[in-house]
Amino acid sequence: MPPKKAPQLPTKDTPLSYHQMVIELLKFLEVSIHTILFVRRIYPTELFARRKKYDAPVYQSRHPDLNSYISGAVKAVGEELVRGTVQRVVVVIRDRDNVALERFVFNFSGLPAIPKDAEWQKWSNVEGVMSAATLAQYFRSFLIRLALLDRQLGTLPESWDSTFAVVMELKDGETPSEPVSKAKAKDKPPVAWVPALVQNTTAGMTEDAESHIIRTVDTGLVNLSLIVQESEDKLLRIKALEDDSMEL
C-alpha cells in the first residue's frame, strides 16, 4: 500500500478528491437545511439571520439547540457518506402527528464505496471531478432555486404545527455504522440513527403526490440532485381549505 500523504488543500482549478468532495457536500447540505427551515416557515423568521454562501443569500438559525441538532445530523450523515453507503438524505416536513407533508430529497447517486485497504485513494485528486470553485457555482444555483420555492409550494398553515426531521436512506444491504463515541466526538454527543417511519421516507410517496426537480449536477464523482415531494396528505388538505374558502 502506498505511504499516506498529508492531504493537499484544493486550489481554484484542482479536481477534488473523494474526501474533499464529501466535505463540500456536507457544507452544502447543512446550509440547505437551515434555508429550507426558513423558507418553509417551520420556525419564526426572526430566529434566522440572513447570510451569504456561495455568493447566494441564505438563512441560518440562531438557536443553539436547533443548530446543534442540524450539525450533529450532518456530521452523522458524513460518517456514512465517506463510507459510500448513502443513497439519499431526506429533510421531511411533517405535522404534529408525524404525517409527512413535504420531503426535500438530496440524492447522492454513484458515490463509490472504497475498500478499507484502499482508503489512501480517498485523498487523491480524481481526474474529471469538479473543482471547489466550479462546484460552488452549482451550489449557488441550487440555493437560489430553493429560496424561491415558497411561491411554488405555498404556505403551510400554522395550525398544522409543522416540524421536521433528517432521514438518511442507505444503499440496499447497508447498515449505519456505530455512532462515534463521546471521547472521539469532542464536545458533541454522538447521533444515533433510529428507524424512520415509512411515510417520512421516499418509500412513503404515493401516486397522487407531486414531485418538483429543483436541480441536478454530475460532479464527476457523484450525481447530486434535489427533489421536493409534496405528499398526498398535504395536497388533499390544501384542496379542502381552498374548497372551504370558496364556500364562504
Side-chain angles (χ1 to χ4, degrees):
M1 183 179 73
K4 291 184 178 180
K5 297 180 180 180
Q8 296 181 346
L9 294 177
T11 63
K12 183 178 180 181
D13 301 315
T14 303
L16 293 173
S17 69
Y18 189 105
H19 264 292
Q20 290 164 348
M21 177 63 71
V22 169
I23 291 171
E24 295 303 322
L25 291 173
L26 293 176
K27 290 178 183 177
F28 168 69
L29 179 62
E30 186 161 5
V31 171
S32 297
I33 293 174
H34 281 269
T35 300
I36 288 169
L37 298 182
F38 173 82
V39 170
R40 302 312 291 136
R41 305 293 192 268
I42 304 304
Y43 299 100
T45 55
E46 56 268 23
L47 190 69
F48 295 82
R50 184 184 172 97
R51 298 281 189 264
K52 181 173 282 191
K53 183 69 174 177
Y54 309 116
D55 202 28
V58 297
Y59 296 87
Q60 182 181 25
S61 160
R62 295 184 291 187
H63 195 286
D65 291 340
L66 178 57
N67 293 350
S68 179
Y69 170 79
I70 295 173
S71 62
V74 170
K75 181 177 180 180
V77 168
E79 292 172 3
E80 301 303 326
L81 201 59
V82 78
R83 294 174 59 218
T85 60
V86 178
Q87 185 66 37
R88 60 187 64 90
V89 173
V90 182
V91 179
V92 57
I93 307 300
R94 57 193 186 183
D95 68 8
R96 68 171 77 91
D97 297 317
N98 287 329
V99 176
L101 304 171
E102 298 169 352
R103 303 179 190 90
F104 290 78
V105 184
F106 296 82
N107 286 298
F108 301 97
S109 302
L111 190 65
I114 297 179
K116 284 189 175 182
D117 59 359
E119 284 279 322
W120 60 272
Q121 294 182 6
K122 293 183 178 180
W123 293 110
S124 302
N125 298 111
V126 184
E127 187 70 26
V129 172
M130 286 184 178
S131 66
T134 301
L135 190 60
Q137 294 176 6
Y138 281 96
F139 286 164
R140 177 178 183 273
S141 65
F142 272 88
L143 291 168
I144 289 175
R145 296 192 183 191
L146 198 56
L148 299 174
L149 265 184
D150 213 29
R151 304 175 187 177
Q152 185 173 8
L153 300 179
T155 302
L156 296 171
E158 291 185 11
S159 60
W160 292 1
D161 291 338
S162 302
T163 184
F164 85 105
V166 178
V167 177
M168 181 173 60
E169 299 183 12
L170 302 182
K171 296 176 181 177
D172 292 342
E174 298 288 354
T175 56
S177 57
E178 291 295 322
V180 177
S181 65
K182 288 187 178 181
K184 293 181 180 180
K186 297 181 180 180
D187 297 331
K188 293 185 179 180
V191 173
W193 294 101
V194 296
L197 295 173
V198 173
Q199 66 168 318
N200 288 340
T201 69
T202 54
M205 184 178 178
T206 61
E207 291 184 0
D208 292 324
E210 293 185 3
S211 294
H212 312 280
I213 299 176
I214 306 305
R215 194 76 168 82
T216 63
V217 60
D218 182 355
T219 69
L221 187 60
V222 57
N223 296 319
L224 172 66
S225 66
L226 173 56
I227 299 172
V228 181
Q229 300 174 349
E230 294 184 272
S231 73
E232 181 180 357
D233 286 279
K234 175 198 170 181
L235 297 175
L236 289 175
R237 292 187 202 181
I238 293 296
K239 186 177 185 303
L241 289 174
E242 292 173 349
D243 291 344
D244 289 343
S245 62
M246 290 178 65
E247 291 177 3
L248 293 175

